[in-house]
């Protein structure tokens, strides 16, 4: 199974869904529309491509791109042919929600919870979406870097000395 073969199969089945594709370090990487993500992953799993293992789910944050500020990256793997694919979806801060893949891959459960915990990305249809590592009353998502750099109550530091 080759990158070209899998990309051709996806674009043939979902001609309007693939936004871009590349092959960094030889791994097929596609960006898809977030509303089509679940259909594409379902196709990859249940078709003859047999992408049967979800390796990882993680969030990414690009504050310099407001229309694509938040993203979710999925790493999928066909264990029999050792074929790997990376799928990315992006969204703005106003609509920070994507479909859950727990019903397709049971292992997505904790990975989606971790991504929600650190980035605030909501997974529609997730059975138990709550913080997994942080305190429930934390009030922010640490990987979005929305918290203050310094403790505002400290008077012994001068931020001008540190370039802030």
């Amino acid at each position: 199974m080759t990158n070209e073969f899998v990309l051709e199969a996806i674009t043939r089945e979902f001609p309007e869904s693939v936004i871009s594709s590349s092959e960094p370090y030889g791994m097929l990487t596609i960006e898809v529309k977030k509303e089509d993500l679940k259909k594409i992953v379902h196709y990859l799993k249940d078709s003859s491509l047999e992408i049967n293992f979800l390796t990882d789910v993680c969030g990414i944050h690009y504050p310099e791109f407001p229309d694509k500020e938040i993203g979710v990256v999925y790493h999928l793997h066909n264990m029999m042919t050792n074929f790997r694919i990376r799928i990315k979806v992006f969204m703005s801060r106003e609509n920070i929600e994507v479909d859950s893949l727990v019903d397709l891959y049971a292992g997505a459960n904790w990975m989606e919870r971790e991504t929600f915990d650190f980035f605030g990305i909501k997974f529609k249809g997730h059975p138990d979406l709550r913080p997994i590592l942080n305190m429930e009353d934390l009030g922010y998502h640490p990987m979005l870097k929305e918290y203050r750099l310094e403790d505002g109550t400290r008077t012994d530091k001068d931020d001008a000395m540190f370039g802030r």
Side-chain angles (χ1 to χ4, degrees), residues 6 10 19 23-24 48 65 67 92-93 96 104 116 123 147 159:
V6 174
I10 294 169
I19 296 169
E23 295 183 25
S48 62
F65 301 116
D67 55 333
S92 65
R93 286 295 285 271
I96 190 166
L104 296 175
F116 165 72
F123 292 90
Y147 50 87
D159 281 349

Side-chain angles (χ1 to χ4, degrees), residues 109-131:
N109 190 329
W110 286 57
M111 290 185 253
E112 289 178 355
R113 284 182 63 186
E114 180 185 34
T115 304
F116 165 72
D117 198 7
F118 284 107
F119 290 91
I121 300 166
K122 296 174 186 74
F123 292 90
K124 288 188 292 189
H126 192 281
D128 186 22
L129 195 60
R130 60 188 164 97

Side-chain angles (χ1 to χ4, degrees), residues 21-72:
S21 67
S22 61
E23 295 183 25
Y25 302 104
M27 181 187 290
L28 177 60
T29 302
I30 60 173
E31 179 186 341
V32 300
K33 295 178 181 175
K34 77 173 188 169
E35 56 271 7
D36 297 335
L37 169 73
K38 193 164 190 171
K39 292 186 290 188
I40 292 170
V41 173
H42 190 272
Y43 169 74
L44 290 172
K45 183 178 183 194
D46 290 343
S47 70
S48 62
L49 299 173
E50 296 178 323
I51 309 290
N52 50 15
F53 185 72
L54 176 66
T55 306
D56 191 23
V57 176
C58 60
I60 49 178
H61 182 212
Y62 293 121
E64 63 273 11
F65 301 116
D67 55 333
K68 291 183 168 187
E69 185 172 354
I70 305 291
V72 183

